[in-house]
Amino acid sequence: MKFYSTNKKSAPVSLPYAVLKGLADDGGLYMPERIPVLDDRFFSHLSQKSLHEISLTVASAFLENDVPSDILDELIKETMNFDIPLVQIEENIFVLELFHGPTMAFKDVGARFMSRLMAWLQRDNPRRLKVVVATSGDTGSAVAAGFFNVPGIDVYVLFPKGKVSPLQQKQITTWGGNIQAIEIDGTFDDCQKLAKEVLGDRELNDAFLITSANSINIARLIPQSFYYFWAAAQLPERNKPLVFSVPSGNFGNLTAGLLAGVMGLKTERYIAATNVNDVVPIYCKTGEYSPKPSVQTISNAMDVGNPSNYARMMDIFGDSHPEFCQSIYSISFSDDETRNAVQSVLSEKNYLMDPHGAVAYLGSKEYLKNVNPGANIVFLETAHPAKFPETLRIVMDKDNTLPEQLRLVNEKEEKFTSLSNDFSKLKRFLAEK
Ligand SMILES: *Cc1c(COP(=O)(O)O)cnc(C)c1O
């Protein structure tokens, strides 16, 4: 299968090119030239299938001509090696817990799949691959965990000094081996800018194989569609209209859900739930898409003012605002509303949500109230609540325990390099290491 750029200026490329390159030369995002539709048999037997079987079927539909089936099978075993349970928390509302992976965020799914795929795609290349990633918190650790000890690949995680939580910093800086953590004296935007400069630098690219692991990569998108089918497979009854509520920032997760829909998964609609960074809800309401600087919130992984996957969504909907709105119900919530939701669901349903999941929960409630009270809503819980200081404070006086993964990382010793916000310094560092 070939992959085209959403800007349609660069020519379509092969899978290895799209994955190892990340972003198209014309600045667009890669999309599969054909979104495969799965056959009826797959859907009629969905509830008997395992997560592994579902993932393999979906992945094969995209990759069967590029990756041999035994390799794909192994790749999926190593990616989907944690539970993704569906839990009912009230009538018509279910939560899909995507946080049981090594770094306790849903980004583990995309990052693990991408790392193994990259390693396989460049297996015969004697040159090592340098993967550069900028992070505001969760991406860096998921990518580090995904690539840790993967042969032939070195990873450089750029994180902004003093702007990630202490626990997130531990998750980035305690790997060692092929993972280098680099603290940049600047903001997340500075880190992202530096990462882009690395990718665009002629000398570095002549000397090394360099790529990005940020969320634009098509190899992170495809595996994220697996768990939409898996959620449907786990529903106790599948007669009610199905709606997914997705806490959204760069909209990669939601776009993966749209792919699942095009592949044949029957859904009534998708809820794009955001915090006050609400360019997409405003687009839905007005038809105007106006990116703006991001605002800091307690659901910080969704603090995005210009969502990168907007381009992919518009591509799927043929740039049609009515089609977009028919498929997507978009709504934003404030931090106060989010905090209240975390508190009330904890006290009334004894279920603890993280701030991102809570935004999606709020979206579910609005949908049941305003659109269809008879829908079955699955909202995506994208991170373990214990990762967020805001939620931690709520639990601390209740049940003061960190999950095992986070407790272990908390005890490890940090190792990182500190650099000023200066491309020439970073370039020298990359050239030496
Ligand atoms: C990255 C992230 C999101 C947003 O996902 P997108 O695919 O960028 O929309 C939501 N929640 C958490 C916890 C995340 O880390």
Side-chain angles (χ1 to χ4, degrees), residues 82-238:
F82 51 89
D83 289 340
I84 304 183
L86 185 76
V87 178
Q88 180 157 25
I89 60 170
E90 53 188 80
E91 205 189 342
N92 295 352
I93 300 188
F94 297 80
V95 49
L96 186 67
E97 295 185 346
L98 289 163
F99 55 72
H100 296 283
T103 72
M104 314 208 89
F106 87 102
K107 290 193 172 72
D108 282 325
V109 174
R112 293 177 78 72
F113 189 87
M114 175 176 63
S115 62
R116 269 81 185 161
L117 185 59
M118 277 184 177
W120 185 77
L121 290 175
Q122 69 117 31
R123 64 202 176 281
D124 295 328
N125 197 325
R127 297 160 81 199
R128 290 182 73 82
L129 177 67
K130 289 184 190 276
V131 175
V132 181
V133 62
T135 185
S136 57
D138 282 341
T139 302
S141 47
V143 166
F147 282 104
F148 182 56
N149 280 343
V150 173
I153 299 184
D154 296 310
V155 178
Y156 302 86
V157 185
L158 311 181
F159 66 98
K161 181 176 179 177
K163 293 185 180 64
V164 300
S165 79
L167 196 58
Q168 283 174 325
Q169 181 157 330
K170 284 274 184 184
Q171 287 190 295
I172 296 167
T173 58
T174 55
W175 293 95
N178 62 332
I179 313 291
Q180 302 266 350
I182 305 173
E183 177 192 71
I184 300 292
D185 193 359
T187 61
F188 168 65
D189 291 334
D190 295 326
C191 295
Q192 201 153 28
K193 189 159 163 282
L194 287 171
K196 280 203 180 128
E197 282 181 270
V198 170
L199 296 184
D201 187 84
R202 273 286 289 281
E203 275 173 26
L204 281 175
N205 281 277
D206 286 346
F208 308 103
L209 276 174
I210 299 186
T211 190
S212 150
N214 278 106
S215 67
I216 41 144
N217 200 302
I218 187 73
R220 275 180 64 176
L221 193 70
I222 291 171
Q224 288 180 8
S225 62
F226 302 164
Y227 47 71
Y228 286 86
F229 299 96
W230 174 235
Q234 292 181 82
L235 276 174
E237 59 150 326
R238 288 184 36 221

Side-chain angles (χ1 to χ4, degrees), residues 354-427:
D354 96 292
H356 304 77
V359 169
Y361 169 81
L362 284 165
S364 316
K365 295 296 271 189
E366 284 298 310
Y367 192 90
L368 289 173
K369 197 166 88 196
N370 299 328
V371 186
N372 182 1
N376 246 345
I377 307 208
V378 172
F379 77 91
L380 307 192
E381 185 38 301
T382 45
H384 194 287
K387 288 189 83 168
F388 299 92
E390 183 76 32
T391 357
L392 272 183
R393 273 195 291 278
I394 298 173
V395 247
M396 274 312 176
D397 39 42
K398 195 178 174 273
D399 176 18
N400 177 7
T401 48
L402 276 181
E404 177 87 352
Q405 280 110 306
L406 298 180
R407 208 170 36 76
L408 290 177
V409 82
N410 224 3
E411 287 160 8
K412 288 193 187 154
E413 201 187 324
E414 296 192 26
K415 241 194 213 146
F416 57 88
T417 304
S418 298
L419 294 179
S420 57
N421 178 20
D422 177 345
F423 176 63
S424 61
K425 298 240 167 64
L426 178 62
K427 185 169 168 175

